[in-house]
Amino acid sequence: MEKILITGGAGYIGSHTAVALVNAGYQPIIIDNFSNSDKSVLNGLRNILGEEVPYYDGDCNDADLMKKIFTENALTGVIHFAAYKAVGESVAQPLKYYKNNVGSLLLLIETMQSFGVKSLVFSSSCTVYGQPDQLPVREDTPRKLAESPYGNTKKICEDILSDVTRSKLGLKIISLRYFNPIGAHESAEIGELPLGVPANLVPFVTQTGAGIRKELTVYGDDYATPDGTCIRDYIHVMDLADAHVKSIEYLKDKPVDFFDLFNVGRGKGNTVMEVIKSFEKVSGKSLNYKIGARRPGDVEKVWADTTKISEKLKWNPQYNLEDALRDSWRWQLSLPL
Ligand code: WQD
């Protein structure tokens, strides 16, 4: 059975990708320092899969640990999720973000090279586009100046990967530019576990629905959109997980020094108010919210053109916004208050 290393594999997207990999006949191996995830995720994975997912508790900036993992496991590929991703925190602590997000990629590339592991799927973000000049956004849409050190680490990492390819270091690489991942596995055994007060919309919505938060603040309703609130492309995390499996499969017959990148979104935009209304429909609850000031750094509207990933990876989203919110809500209800 082919072994795939998932860095940050106990995280939100990493854990769902572990499920998708097992379902596709692969053996995931997790490395996670649990700085932004919880070991209970491993129990959730066992309950879903009926088997333990092997894991290493440690940091992918730890060269000795990475060497140990690559020595103990004959890997056929790596999916690199591990990174800090809080936009606001990255502004306050830029060096923490550059050291971790860029440093871990550099060490991973060196380790892959020395062990002859060639296939790499990198977790990037639509944040590299900033506010696109045309919508839906395509992969050849020019990247904009990053709004935050977090966003800049994603751009820098993509540049490193294309330079590694151009210098023919012998890897074959796909970068996936995520839009807004939401939802949870249908079993409610795993899902998004934000630490502290959620920065992202959907976990804040479900926590408000569950009474954990008093009310949601909608960050601005004076944008040039149908209802004045920002538009995003919300993609179910299981659809996103499937895109990683299809990327691993797509790389199999590619030559070394191959590099490509794909948008991964649903290909449809929804406003904040549409998310609220859809949540109220699936939960049967009236959501307590108020309109507040715009959040600095927010782009007005962004959603993906998914033509390229659909044609090349034969990937298409299977879930819509309601499906994702239903699964997020089921997951929220499974958590202790
Ligand atoms: C979505 C919309 C907010 C919270 C960020 C990162 C991106 C990626 C996903 C890592 C916006 C509005 C939100 C709230 C609100 N992260 N909102 N009230 O900002 O599109 O993307 O998370 O890869 O890189 O930038 O996601 O969920 O924070 O916001 O009105 O309490 O919801 O203004 O319009 P965002 P988000």
Side-chain angles (χ1 to χ4, degrees), residues 85 87 125 127 150 179-181 199-202 204 216-219 230 232 234 272 295 298:
K85 63 157 207 139
V87 171
S125 168
T127 201
Y150 159 73
F179 282 68
N180 288 59
N200 295 133
L201 176 66
V202 170
F204 204 108
L216 168 78
T217 301
V218 174
Y219 296 143
C230 291
R232 294 290 185 275
Y234 296 98
V272 175
R295 180 172 67 175
D298 271 342

Side-chain angles (χ1 to χ4, degrees), residues 5-8 31-33 58-63 65-66 69 80-83 100 103-108 111:
L5 177 65
I6 316 180
T7 72
I31 173 175
D32 204 301
N33 64 6
D59 197 310
C60 44
N61 283 292
D62 177 343
L65 176 59
M66 290 301 278
I69 293 170
H80 185 45
F81 291 104
N100 183 60
S104 62
L105 179 66
L106 294 175
L107 176 61
L108 176 62
T111 313

